[in-house]
Amino acid sequence: MKTNKFLIGFVVVFSILITSFVFYFYQVFFSENILVEKGDEVILIEEDMDFQDLQDIVYDRGIVNDMLSFSFVAKLLDYQENMKPGLYLMKKDMTNLQAVRMLRAGEQIPTTTTFNNVRLKPDLAGKITDNLQADSVEFLRLLNNDSLISAYGFTQENILSMFIPNTYEVYYTISEQKLFDKMYAEYQRFWNDERKQKAKALGLSPKEVSALASIVQAESVQSDERPKIAEVYLNRLERNMRLQADPALVYAVGDFTIKRVLNVHKEVDSPYNLYKYKGLPPGPINLPEIESIDAVLNPDEHNYIYFCAKPDFSGYHAFATNLRQHNINARAYQNALNRSNIYK
């Protein structure tokens, strides 16, 4: 009888232990433990982080309710040795198993890269990698790699025209080379058949459109005026006239603090000195925005071949079909400058 009672007691205790273990196992793996009664959050795991760093992040931000169970599941799934950098979306009410599996699989969410207001290659390299793991120095090296950019059909002078200013979705861990490839794919997508046909109708290649658009963009802060300015330059090209673009001359001189172009500046020997050389420059003088590119592709129709800033300093320009009227407009602007303190 005593033996039976012992066995029954043992079975009861063992059953309780098994039940407790199964319940605990279930709780650890399948109970909600991430952002319980909170909202979704994004975490960034960087290349040099270890599991302790991750624990600090999720603890400090209150993402994990029970750190012990989360760490236990991570240990069982060998996550500590298989951490992958990237941006991850931690969803409210995730279980430990869901969270660790997602992190271990490297199921990142995309981030964005945005670049505009770019003049030189270092500017682009810095801005395009600013929100990413990619290194700006390495990306600049790619921009300066003759054999690489030649394979894409570009030169050192016009490679910037491959980059269309916009906001793009990429993964945080994208490599410099894949980022370069991504931008080339976006360039091809941007230059669809419609835009190519418009460029051809103007007698320009896409790269030449970008070069002209960069000048048009630099000429006016008023975007609604850019199609009108674009037509002035197109009229000049059609008449085989020098473009005489001040922004291109400033680029040729390399001193971007210049506010008034002087005759001495016009002596510089550079293909970007469009007072000295006919035609378009060998590449863009900045990264033209989509709006500026489309201004060239969709110019206003007029016969103007001259323009200068208006004396009211509104940012708009006075246009002329002949040199006589242009000189009158230019004199009015110069007199306004002389009366002001803008360049003094």
Side-chain angles (χ1 to χ4, degrees):
M1 181 66 72
K2 289 182 178 180
T3 301
N4 289 340
K5 287 182 178 180
F6 175 79
L7 289 174
I8 292 171
F10 177 78
V11 170
V12 170
V13 171
F14 183 75
S15 297
I16 292 173
L17 289 174
I18 290 296
T19 302
S20 298
F21 177 77
V22 170
F23 180 73
Y24 178 74
F25 182 87
Y26 180 86
Q27 290 285 100
V28 167
F29 278 83
F30 301 108
S31 290
E32 297 167 354
N33 192 39
I34 307 298
L35 297 165
V36 178
E37 297 182 356
K38 297 180 180 179
D40 297 350
E41 287 201 33
V42 174
I43 62 171
L44 170 61
I45 299 177
E46 300 192 60
E47 183 72 41
D48 58 352
M49 285 175 53
D50 58 21
F51 189 67
Q52 181 62 59
D53 295 322
L54 176 61
Q55 286 178 311
D56 292 341
I57 290 174
V58 296
Y59 176 80
D60 292 342
R61 292 170 56 180
I63 292 174
V64 172
N65 281 24
D66 179 11
M67 184 61 68
L68 182 62
S69 65
F70 175 79
S71 301
F72 177 70
V73 173
K75 180 67 175 177
L76 285 181
L77 296 184
D78 199 26
Y79 173 61
Q80 289 97 323
E81 306 303 321
N82 292 280
M83 289 181 62
K84 296 179 176 66
L87 278 178
Y88 296 92
L89 177 63
M90 305 294 282
K91 296 181 181 179
K92 69 182 298 293
D93 298 331
M94 289 179 89
T95 67
N96 287 326
L97 184 60
Q98 290 172 327
V100 174
R101 277 180 171 173
M102 180 264 294
L103 293 170
R104 192 181 190 282
E107 296 174 1
Q108 302 180 56
I109 59 170
T111 184
T112 58
T113 179
T114 301
F115 53 91
N116 51 27
N117 297 321
V118 169
R119 179 182 284 127
L120 302 171
K121 291 178 185 177
D123 302 331
L124 174 61
K127 290 190 175 186
I128 200 171
T129 61
D130 183 50
N131 199 34
L132 307 174
Q133 182 177 282
D135 180 61
S136 62
V137 174
E138 174 61 19
F139 196 83
L140 181 59
R141 188 188 69 79
L142 296 181
L143 288 172
N144 288 322
N145 186 319
D146 286 327
S147 60
L148 174 70
I149 62 178
S150 176
Y152 288 88
F154 293 86
T155 66
Q156 287 290 342
E157 291 75 23
N158 62 31
I159 183 59
L160 285 187
S161 62
M162 191 185 91
F163 297 83
I164 309 297
N166 210 335
T167 296
Y168 299 98
E169 270 198 356
V170 295
Y171 286 111
Y172 172 78
T173 53
I174 189 171
S175 69
E176 294 83 5
Q177 181 62 63
K178 288 192 179 298
L179 180 58
F180 205 92
D181 293 339
K182 164 78 172 176
M183 291 301 103
Y184 181 63
E186 294 293 346
Y187 170 82
Q188 291 180 305
R189 187 175 294 111
F190 174 81
W191 280 103
N192 54 31
D193 288 341
E194 181 182 1
R195 284 194 172 99
K196 286 179 180 178
Q197 289 169 5
K198 288 182 177 180
K200 186 176 181 180
L202 296 172
L204 302 175
S205 70
K207 298 181 185 71
E208 289 173 329
V209 169
S210 292
L212 180 53
S214 70
I215 294 173
V216 170
Q217 179 168 292
E219 288 284 16
S220 181
V221 297
Q222 306 294 354
S223 59
D224 60 332
E225 190 185 46
R226 289 174 187 169
K228 194 172 184 179
I229 292 175
E231 180 69 356
V232 170
Y233 285 121
L234 290 169
N235 288 341
R236 281 179 160 261
L237 287 172
E238 187 177 359
R239 291 165 173 76
N240 199 31
M241 298 173 63
R242 290 184 176 86
L243 296 189
Q244 298 184 329
D246 286 358
L249 182 57
V250 170
Y251 185 89
V253 174
D255 180 0
F256 300 110
T257 65
I258 294 174
K259 296 184 181 299
R260 294 179 78 169
V261 169
L262 305 174
N263 287 332
V264 65
H265 298 135
K266 298 175 184 178
E267 297 304 314
V268 64
D269 188 17
S270 166
Y272 293 90
N273 181 354
L274 305 184
Y275 282 88
K276 184 182 288 286
Y277 295 101
K278 290 183 179 180
L280 291 164
I285 60 172
N286 57 52
L287 227 58
E289 299 165 1
I290 292 175
E291 192 174 39
S292 298
I293 294 173
D294 284 340
V296 173
L297 295 176
N298 303 278
D300 289 350
E301 291 187 15
H302 59 67
N303 295 318
Y304 298 127
I305 53 175
Y306 300 100
F307 68 97
C308 74
K310 286 187 173 181
D312 60 2
F313 305 118
S314 63
Y316 284 96
H317 294 78
F319 294 79
T321 59
N322 58 78
L323 185 58
R324 177 178 174 278
Q325 183 59 53
H326 174 64
N327 286 337
I328 293 173
N329 296 337
R331 194 174 305 114
Y333 178 64
Q334 291 297 328
N335 289 339
L337 282 179
N338 293 334
R339 291 193 299 270
S340 72
N341 293 317
I342 293 180
Y343 297 143
K344 293 181 180 179

